[in-house]
Amino acid sequence: MSIYPSQGPIFDTHAHYSSGAFNADREAVLDNLPAKGVVGVCEQATHSGDAPRCLALAHAYPWVWAAIGIHPESLLPADKCGSAPPAPTISVYGGDWAAEMKALAPFYDDPKVVAVGECGLDYHWPVPKEAQQALFEAEIRLALELDKPIVVHDREAHADVYALLKKYKPKGILHCYSGSAEDAVWLARQGILIGFGGAATFKGAKRAAKVIDALPLESILLETDCPYMAPEPVRGTRCDSSLIAYVGEYIAQRKGLDPETVFAQTAANARRVFHLEP
């Protein structure tokens, strides 16, 4: 029996409400989330183009915070973007990610910016490897310098992501985790929290189930990556933070806990990693 909508407390550690998918009803969606149990959202920037919108949302809602960074896909060359325009990393900065990072630097002085991200490595798309590796390393160093957590995107790049995380040992989040249970355990011991969203509920998501079983609840975070990856039983629809109710319920079933315990602990985990007041 589904508990949707949940009374929470739901803390969505990874959202993209600045996405065009919410242009028609963004304010209405966000206004309705607290009534569905949502107590926190971390809105993720992907480049200098959406960073101001992310921060504006964080200032518009007391329960929204922002992560500011450059996503590896923002380095995708213009001729590889299909019908979509290239990100400002290419169109404005000509691929000079260091100049874009410099332009983003003032954002980190804002108390509503709680993390560096979304950043990482993506080997699924034809993004130049050397450039994205150098960018990710620079963003890890920035997170350490600022004493902020890092929000890591890892798509088909486990070995290189893990190598940099082992080298620098930042605190933060591995978003939409797709690695093994064994790797999740050492990452958690090093101070990386593991994010689970709708994909964990998909039929055939056996690896995610093993990771959830292997980790203590104190190392787990809930997320959406909305508007993407809506969970079962609403897979394929536009996702929003309230749908985390299904993910929390699934984790509770696997761990033999009541959903309220899962929501309360993962919300506390989120506040801890983002250095927010309890």
Side-chain angles (χ1 to χ4, degrees):
M1 181 177 178
S2 174
I3 60 168
Y4 180 82
S6 169
Q7 292 308 303
I10 289 171
F11 199 122
D12 182 356
T13 58
H14 197 106
H16 295 281
Y17 285 107
S18 59
S19 164
F22 291 104
N23 282 352
D25 59 351
R26 182 177 294 107
E27 186 173 330
V29 170
L30 287 163
D31 286 347
N32 287 328
L33 290 180
K36 297 177 179 178
V38 177
V39 299
V41 170
C42 188
E43 174 74 4
Q44 307 285 324
T46 59
H47 48 61
S48 57
D50 60 12
R53 298 195 298 273
C54 292
L55 190 54
L57 287 176
H59 281 287
Y61 296 89
W63 41 270
V64 175
W65 290 268
I68 301 296
I70 305 173
H71 192 288
E73 286 180 41
S74 296
L75 287 166
L76 199 63
D79 62 351
K80 303 293 185 182
C81 291
S83 60
T89 316
I90 299 298
S91 63
V92 176
Y93 293 94
D96 185 353
W97 53 261
E100 188 174 22
M101 283 185 68
K102 186 174 181 180
L104 288 172
F107 283 83
Y108 298 106
D109 294 329
D110 193 300
K112 291 290 277 188
V113 176
V114 295
V116 175
E118 176 183 2
C119 58
L121 299 177
D122 192 312
Y123 292 172
H124 178 78
W125 299 107
V127 180
K129 279 191 178 182
E130 287 188 7
Q132 60 173 307
Q133 288 168 358
L135 168 60
F136 183 35
E137 188 166 13
E139 290 185 289
I140 292 174
R141 290 182 176 184
L142 176 63
L144 292 171
E145 176 187 333
L146 296 173
D147 192 29
K148 291 184 184 292
I150 192 160
V151 181
V152 180
H153 171 99
D154 170 12
R155 189 172 187 187
E156 300 174 19
H158 296 332
D160 289 342
V161 167
Y162 297 165
L164 285 170
L165 294 180
K166 282 182 178 178
K167 178 179 179 180
Y168 288 101
K169 296 180 172 56
K171 306 300 182 185
I173 302 167
L174 228 173
H175 142 70
C176 193
Y177 186 75
S178 59
S180 69
E182 293 77 11
D183 284 327
V185 168
W186 73 255
L187 284 161
R189 287 174 179 163
Q190 186 175 289
I192 297 291
L193 278 74
I194 307 299
F196 293 99
T201 70
F202 296 169
K203 294 175 182 177
K206 295 178 180 178
R207 176 172 279 200
K210 291 179 179 178
V211 177
I212 291 166
D213 293 348
L215 288 174
L217 193 56
E218 291 76 12
S219 296
I220 290 175
L221 295 172
L222 301 181
E223 60 173 54
T224 55
D225 203 22
C226 67
Y228 314 108
M229 290 199 297
E232 298 289 356
V234 291
R235 183 178 182 179
T237 65
R238 186 185 68 175
C239 194
D240 68 59
S241 302
S242 71
L243 298 179
I244 281 178
Y246 294 111
V247 183
E249 183 179 29
Y250 172 72
I251 292 174
Q253 289 172 349
R254 291 214 61 87
K255 289 193 164 296
L257 300 170
D258 61 88
E260 291 76 14
T261 298
V262 172
F263 294 129
Q265 184 61 61
T266 54
N269 297 345
R271 291 186 175 278
R272 185 179 76 248
V273 74
F274 291 136
H275 302 158
L276 301 174
E277 292 293 327

